[in-house]
Amino acid sequence: MPVTIGRIEPIAVHLPLAQPLKRATGTTTTADNLLVRVEAGAVVGWGEAAAAPAMTGELLPGMVDAVRFVAPLLEGRSLDDIEGAVACMAQALYGNPGVKAAIEVALYDALGKVRGQPVHALLGGGRRDSIPVLRYIASGDTDTDIADAARLRADGCVAFKLKVGARQLREDIERTRAVCAVLGKTRTTAELGRSEVGRAAPGVLVCADANQGWTEANAIEYVRAVAATSQLDFLEQPVHGDDLAAMARVAAASPIAIGCDEGLRSARDLRDHQAIGAAAGASLKLGKLGGLLAAQRMALLCDSLGMKVNLACKIAEAGVGTAALLHLAAAIPSLQWGVALTSTYLRDDILVQPLQYANGHVQVPRGPGLGVEVDEARVRAFAA
Ligand SMILES: [Mg+2]
């Protein structure tokens, strides 16, 4: 008996962060996230997206309104036809990729629960059950960054992302070199032989993200100086996302692979970057691209274009958004540039049982749907 999509409810939550986040626009103490609760037959599905004014233009009250706008168009449709539901949203509502992602993830969670299958099986099957997690090195202080990197490496972490681009260039260069050194990613180590390093520390990945913070000249100075001593695996979005020509010139001058994030919103953007050599890889986020199907298509396109894939949550998504990204991470063909998760930035998660982290890896949930149980009482307590 086919199950139809029932009531779709938007829930705006303010989840306290473990520590205040300092940004150019001020200090943030909560993650403002949209949760979507979908009823379908006897099951309930959940989706999540962070408000992302600087990335997608979406603010929480508008996200709630957008869910209320599309909900009547989806309610009563067959739950089996998620592609149809996604097409219906695309036709009725321009933009709002975070809203569309949260609704689509909730539908996948519900469909997986109805069929008794995990979401990665609905996406074509899991290829990996344990995902290496990229840990942020972004304290804002060089000595703390070095200490954090050493502590995380000792704890078994294998993937690291430095935030750069917000301070003096010289300071960013020295900090990157120092963090690479403490993680064994010096040129000397590399030249001695990756296989030897590989046995001791299988594939430690270190990257940096400038979040469009540099001029072309700054970016070129950084990559040349860092590459002279260190083995940085890639640098993300050194210059403005709209300036593909500058990205291409940086990439051409850079011994380090360049990735795109802010400059990537559509398949056309990805093809444009690849065509002029502006990026060797891409950072994919569900809330930026509009959901699991869109991000999976983008990952497949990356693969066919010979580009590397990084997956990332927006700061700071809780366990629902995290689980969704893990199912995608399990299903896509290649994942060379790691997975950045952000629920560890939250003081509390909204799950009954936390996700399982060990040795720098997180387990892909195995249960039906997203494979996580939402603590609805806690959700209601954090509701706006
Ligand atoms: Mg980024």
Side-chain angles (χ1 to χ4, degrees):
M1 171 104 174
V3 174
T4 56
I5 300 169
R7 181 166 171 256
I8 300 176
E9 180 190 3
I11 306 169
V13 292
H14 300 289
L15 303 172
L17 296 172
Q19 288 178 333
L21 263 181
K22 291 197 186 82
R23 301 176 188 215
T25 47
T27 302
T28 316
T29 56
T30 60
D32 301 327
N33 294 2
L34 169 75
L35 292 171
V36 172
R37 182 184 184 279
V38 174
E39 295 173 3
V43 308
V44 170
W46 290 89
E48 179 181 18
M55 186 174 75
T56 69
E58 291 171 285
L59 292 161
L60 205 45
M63 295 172 87
V64 170
D65 283 348
V67 175
R68 291 191 178 128
F69 175 76
V70 293
L73 309 174
L74 303 176
E75 288 163 4
R77 293 181 63 101
S78 164
L79 181 64
D80 288 307
D81 183 19
I82 293 184
E83 289 204 33
V86 168
C88 173
M89 287 194 281
Q91 196 176 26
L93 180 69
Y94 176 80
N96 288 273
V99 167
K100 290 168 181 169
I103 293 173
E104 187 226 43
V105 166
L107 296 177
Y108 267 110
D109 186 28
L111 182 63
K113 285 170 176 165
V114 166
R115 293 193 185 167
Q117 288 186 303
V119 168
H120 59 260
L122 302 177
L123 295 174
R127 298 167 192 256
R128 45 191 83 80
D129 53 18
S130 167
I131 308 291
V133 180
L134 264 177
R135 301 302 299 260
Y136 284 97
I137 305 293
S139 71
D141 173 75
T142 299
D143 289 340
T144 310
D145 276 0
I146 295 167
D148 285 350
R151 177 178 48 78
L152 289 167
R153 182 72 195 99
D155 286 348
C157 293
V158 292
F160 304 85
K161 185 182 242 185
L162 274 146
K163 284 287 183 183
V164 294
R167 286 185 282 170
Q168 292 292 318
L169 186 65
R170 204 65 231 169
E171 206 183 314
D172 274 338
I173 290 168
E174 293 312 321
R175 192 162 52 98
T176 305
R177 286 171 157 177
V179 168
C180 283
V182 89
L183 295 171
K185 298 281 286 189
T186 60
R187 276 183 62 105
T188 323
T189 319
E191 283 155 11
L192 281 174
R194 266 185 94 86
S195 60
E196 201 176 317
V197 179
R199 271 198 297 277
V204 171
L205 178 85
V206 186
C207 59
D209 188 354
N211 292 106
Q212 323 181 87
W214 285 328
T215 63
E216 184 181 328
N218 285 162
I220 291 174
E221 186 180 340
Y222 174 89
V223 288
R224 286 187 172 152
V226 168
T229 59
S230 312
Q231 208 190 16
L232 192 70
D233 291 286
F234 69 97
L235 169 66
E236 195 169 298
Q237 204 67 62
V239 298
H240 199 278
D242 292 339
D243 196 349
L244 261 64
M247 282 285 281
R249 288 190 295 270
V250 172
S254 177
I256 295 166
I258 302 297
C260 59
D261 181 2
E262 284 86 343
L264 172 69
R265 290 180 181 81
S266 65
R268 190 174 61 190
D269 290 338
L270 190 71
R271 290 183 190 281
D272 288 349
H273 277 82
Q274 196 265 349
I276 62 163
S283 177
L284 313 182
K285 298 186 178 94
L286 298 181
K288 181 175 72 174
L289 299 172
L292 289 161
L293 280 170
Q296 184 178 35
R297 275 191 209 111
M298 198 75 91
L300 293 169
L301 182 57
C302 282
D303 219 46
S304 72
L305 295 174
M307 297 173 80
K308 307 275 202 309
V309 172
N310 162 262
L311 297 182
C313 280
K314 178 88 180 67
I315 292 175
E317 289 174 45
V320 173
T322 304
L325 197 71
L326 289 173
H327 286 283
L328 180 67
I332 62 177
S334 313
L335 188 57
Q336 303 96 330
W337 281 359
V339 179
L341 305 176
T342 55
S343 61
T344 48
Y345 281 102
L346 297 170
R347 198 179 65 200
D348 283 315
D349 209 332
I350 52 169
L351 302 181
V352 174
Q353 296 289 336
L355 292 161
Q356 297 297 311
Y357 287 85
N359 291 322
H361 289 65
V362 60
Q363 290 295 319
V364 178
R366 293 193 184 91
L370 292 175
V372 294
E373 191 185 342
V374 171
D375 184 336
E376 200 165 335
R378 212 179 300 168
V379 168
R380 301 289 171 191
F382 289 128

